[in-house]
Amino acid sequence: MKDLVVAVYDGVVLLDVAGPVQILHGSGGYRIRHASLDGRPVRTDVGVPLGADLALGELSGSIDTLLVPGYAPPDGDRPGEAYLNLLQDIGARARRVASVCTGALLLAEAGLLDGRRATTHWAACAELRSRFPRVTVEPDAIFVRDGPVATSAGVSAGIDLALALVEEDHGPDLARAVAKYMVVFLQRPGGQSQFSVRGTVPATRHPGLRRLLDAITADPAAEHTLAAMAAQVVVSERHLTRLFRREVGLTPGQYVERIRVEAAQVLLETTADGVASIARRCGLGSDETMRRTFLKVLGITPTACRQRFRTSSHPFITPKETT
């Protein structure tokens, strides 16, 4: 039995706690305790109260795993400095530290992500990157393990992380059995880019670059070569590439590719148009080029994307009317 402590607080996302705890409890391999700042119950983001077993300050000695759930991005209730100070202290004594969703920003504030790779909810990746330059953000990852610290993407990604912890601690057979029982993927296909639209791209303060980004989004199929884009911003191609890397975190080509993929996602999810037609409309060329690009950027095919996210054509089954 491994000792695992969930550090809860007022405003914590309910599923960030419940999802991983359900997986970990279901494995039978953990002693799970919930610790709040003062040892009292907390209020979750949806108003459901959540009990606590002890106060964070009562934790002494070493523990196996500290799990830090997140708050609702972008402006949900966050814990204060006293909580962060305790995270720093407890995290330094834990064998392993893990976070769910925006819990990664709390780890960063506590200094536990300095010099490490990490991920968080796609809507908070830009904030994590801009506020904490010593953290290498991987915006597409479902979860990232860097040494003794593991971070996961938004909300339900905590389930993926918990299964990875079970596999690491107790082996793949148990993790697979728990995943089957919970009816979830043991390894989710694709990254979290498939869920976001420009969510991981930070805002830029450069007016010319901002206009260019808007133009690419407005017409993904237009000629967005490096030369054409540099001419629009009135800078050299080399300087435009530096601007993109500094302000956006991508090369110009990567940004155009991502916007085209996201435009195609919208059409796949909202229209019945064929893949070849969508590829042409979004600047991705042929259906085969679009397929290769989807696999590279999202980790799934266009067909899988359409099946996964398009509104179901099957209504809920309702009782037959009686006469």
Side-chain angles (χ1 to χ4, degrees):
M1 295 288 286
K2 294 185 177 297
D3 187 27
L4 185 141
V5 174
V6 185
V8 297
Y9 51 89
D10 282 330
V12 68
V13 172
L14 178 59
L15 190 56
D16 282 8
V17 178
V21 166
Q22 192 72 55
I23 295 293
L24 297 166
H25 174 78
S27 74
Y30 300 88
R31 174 197 179 205
I32 303 170
R33 294 181 291 169
H34 295 78
S36 66
L37 187 60
D38 55 8
R40 297 179 180 177
V42 298
R43 173 186 47 79
T44 64
D45 66 317
V46 294
V48 176
L50 186 66
D53 300 297
L54 74 165
L56 284 167
E58 294 175 13
L59 289 167
S60 60
S62 62
I63 61 172
D64 185 79
T65 302
L66 174 67
L67 179 65
V68 181
Y71 53 86
D75 53 3
D77 294 340
R78 310 184 186 196
E81 187 175 352
Y83 176 94
L84 297 174
N85 289 338
L86 286 165
L87 280 193
Q88 185 177 46
D89 176 59
I90 300 167
R93 294 186 274 116
R95 179 183 71 87
R96 179 175 59 194
V97 178
S99 68
V100 182
C101 193
T102 48
L105 279 92
L106 302 179
L107 294 188
E109 290 188 65
L112 297 172
L113 291 184
D114 287 352
R116 299 191 184 279
R117 297 177 299 110
T119 194
T120 187
H121 192 291
W122 61 260
C125 282
E127 180 185 355
L128 181 60
R129 181 187 290 116
S130 62
R131 288 182 57 199
F132 304 100
R134 296 186 64 185
V135 180
T136 301
V137 180
E138 299 193 3
D140 187 46
I142 296 297
F143 60 85
V144 172
R145 177 72 184 271
D146 190 334
V149 181
T151 53
S152 62
V155 197
S156 65
I159 293 173
D160 301 80
L161 174 63
L163 285 167
L165 298 182
V166 172
E167 182 171 3
E168 177 183 317
D169 294 338
H170 304 289
D173 290 341
L174 179 58
R176 189 177 300 109
V178 174
K180 286 183 177 180
Y181 184 79
M182 298 297 177
V183 199
V184 294
F185 288 111
L186 178 58
Q187 183 174 352
R188 187 195 307 228
Q192 67 167 331
S193 289
Q194 60 189 293
F195 302 100
S196 64
V197 178
R198 288 193 66 180
T200 60
V201 177
T204 175
R205 292 172 291 180
H206 190 285
L209 182 57
R210 186 165 58 246
R211 287 193 295 271
L212 175 60
L213 299 182
D214 291 340
I216 295 169
T217 303
D219 188 5
E223 183 186 4
H224 298 305
T225 63
L226 183 59
M229 291 188 288
Q232 184 171 338
V233 184
V234 197
V235 296
S236 69
E237 294 178 18
R238 180 176 296 180
H239 184 59
L240 181 67
T241 299
R242 286 197 296 266
L243 271 177
F244 262 86
R245 288 192 180 278
R246 187 185 71 207
E247 300 282 334
V248 181
L250 301 167
T251 67
Q254 287 171 333
Y255 181 81
V256 171
E257 185 177 64
R258 181 168 295 184
I259 289 300
R260 285 173 172 169
V261 166
E262 291 175 342
Q265 279 183 275
V266 172
L267 293 177
L268 285 168
E269 296 164 17
T270 59
T271 74
D273 294 355
V275 172
S277 173
I278 292 174
R280 290 192 298 271
R281 289 172 61 185
C282 297
L284 290 169
S286 67
D287 52 352
E288 179 56 30
T289 300
M290 179 169 159
R291 182 180 183 277
R292 290 197 304 268
T293 305
F294 263 60
L295 284 171
K296 181 175 72 172
V297 175
L298 303 181
I300 57 174
T301 65
T303 300
C305 180
R306 169 168 272 169
Q307 292 171 343
R308 189 169 302 171
F309 296 111
R310 190 175 180 188
T311 301
S312 172
S313 60
H314 302 289
F316 288 110
I317 298 174
T318 56
K320 292 182 178 180
E321 293 183 5
T322 57
T323 57

